[in-house]
Amino acid sequence: MTTPSPQRCALSVNVNKVALVRNTRHLGIPSVLRAAELCLKAGAQGITVHPRPDARHIRTDDVHQLAALMQAWPDREYNIEGNPFQNLMEFVRAVRPAQCTFVPDGEDQFTSDHGWDLAKDGERLRPLIAEARSLGVRVSLFMDPEPGAMAAARAVGADRVELYTEPYAAAFGSPRQAEVLQAFAQSARAAAAAGLGVNAGHDLNRDNLTPFLAACPAVQEVSIGHALVADALELGYSETVRAYLACIEAA
Ligand SMILES: CC(=O)[C@@H](O)[C@H](O)COP(=O)(O)O
Ligand SMILES: NCC(=O)COP(=O)(O)O
């Protein structure tokens, strides 16, 4: 078992896609619990799930079984993502994970594809943020890379923001990469200046992760699932997690 080094940036493995494959048969394999355990043993600092209302991948049982697993890993973090106006708060109240990430997804959305509009939803979010925090759960808001929106995230009581990194991933390797990365760097700095912790995630992978973190040193956690699980199909969970940890170390 690898004890995670005190890295600048934590790796939280999102196991949604293990559950997606599992759900295509009634055989219970691939095991979500086994995937999480192997990733933790390899040094991942956390596990992330996004139990969507349609249960397309992570189901209620998964959330609770992973919570029980995480009890055996007190130095690692459990992060539950979702829309607090839909089903997320029932999990926050029941499980009290280390962190919850509020994501403004619609019920039938293909995947997460935007951050919060706090001018529209900030006041509705405020009491739910306060409730989660009163339960001892850190609250992160899923946000687009807009430096001017970070102070508002702090003002509604969030502990952290998670920068939605798909626009960076889409620009990676193109002439727009530097320009887009600059917007993320400015957003990360603005978030830190506002007193927020900074997470990041969506479509990060072994190619784009190191340059992203090198440009955004304030980022303290990345949650990665789709590309990491795809890599694990080829390399196995242990080697894959070690490869992602090395990408973080190289930043
Ligand atoms: C919020 C985010 O960007 C991802 O964590 C999200 O969990 C992806 O959801 P799917 O795995 O359902 O695409
Ligand atoms: N919050 C991002 C996450 O948990 C995983 O996103 P992805 O790596 O599956 O795109």
Side-chain angles (χ1 to χ4, degrees), residues 112-249:
S112 307
D113 60 11
H114 64 281
W116 287 101
D117 174 353
L118 295 178
K120 179 166 79 72
D121 290 321
E123 286 313 309
R124 286 207 301 158
L125 287 169
R126 185 188 299 275
L128 297 175
I129 293 169
E131 178 187 354
R133 298 187 79 245
S134 73
L135 297 172
V137 180
R138 181 194 314 131
V139 177
S140 179
L141 296 180
F142 197 62
M143 298 294 288
D144 297 313
E146 293 166 2
M150 299 306 145
R154 188 79 187 103
V156 293
D159 299 289
R160 296 192 185 179
V161 292
E162 176 178 343
L163 298 179
Y164 168 52
T165 48
E166 190 278 341
Y168 161 69
F172 185 73
S174 82
R176 295 188 59 248
Q177 177 178 325
E179 168 205 345
V180 173
L181 194 47
Q182 182 63 10
F184 280 89
Q186 289 169 349
S187 299
R189 285 195 296 270
L196 291 160
V198 187
N199 297 346
H202 205 96
D203 284 344
L204 293 174
N205 59 43
R206 282 186 291 158
D207 297 323
N208 64 30
L209 181 55
T210 300
F212 176 79
L213 293 176
C216 304
V219 172
Q220 59 202 101
E221 176 186 297
V222 287
S223 42
I224 305 175
H226 193 92
L228 189 148
V229 172
D231 287 336
L233 290 175
E234 295 179 35
L235 304 173
Y237 295 115
S238 301
E239 184 176 337
T240 297
V241 165
R242 286 194 293 271
Y244 277 82
L245 292 173
C247 290
I248 294 171
E249 280 293 320

Side-chain angles (χ1 to χ4, degrees), residues 12-14 16-17 48 79 81 101 111 142 162 200-204 223-228:
S12 186
V13 175
N14 182 312
N16 290 354
K17 300 300 161 49
T48 289
N79 174 40
E81 299 181 330
T101 301
T111 186
F142 197 62
E162 176 178 343
H202 205 96
D203 284 344
L204 293 174
S223 42
I224 305 175
H226 193 92
L228 189 148

